[in-house]
Amino acid sequence: MSYFCIEDEEGNDTSYLLVSCGIKVNGKNVVFELKSDDFSVSYELRPDTRFSTVDSIKSYLEGILEQVKTKGYVLNVSEYFSRMYVMIGYETSSDFEMGQFTASKIL
């Protein structure tokens, strides 16, 4: 079983069971969707200096999700929309991987 945790700008954490997820290239953006039984969230991620193409964004997300699913890590998403970005990755006692993306939440 995999989980994801969303941290908002006020520092509130909420964890969910990861039922499904999606990564879809949508023109010049990547739509990243996470779903639990009773909650779903989608982010539009845009290329910038850290991830310069939609393919690099997609590849990073696929790698992170593979680690989350195979090793049982918790996927962490930290939202900083006042500065137009999100951090996506995981952290364990021995591993840390976190990418920063220019993003907005899809409502």
Side-chain angles (χ1 to χ4, degrees), residues 28-78:
K28 295 182 180 182
N29 304 307
V30 174
V31 176
F32 182 52
E33 182 179 45
L34 301 168
K35 290 185 179 182
S36 72
D37 288 327
D38 58 351
F39 176 79
S40 68
V41 64
S42 296
Y43 301 98
E44 184 177 75
L45 309 177
R46 295 178 290 284
D48 59 19
T49 57
R50 292 170 292 270
F51 294 91
S52 60
T53 66
V54 292
D55 289 334
S56 65
I57 294 170
K58 183 177 183 267
S59 177
Y60 178 85
L61 293 173
E62 289 170 341
I64 288 293
L65 289 171
E66 180 67 23
Q67 294 296 316
V68 166
K69 291 176 181 177
T70 60
K71 295 186 177 179
Y73 295 164
V74 174
L75 178 69
N76 293 313
V77 178
S78 299

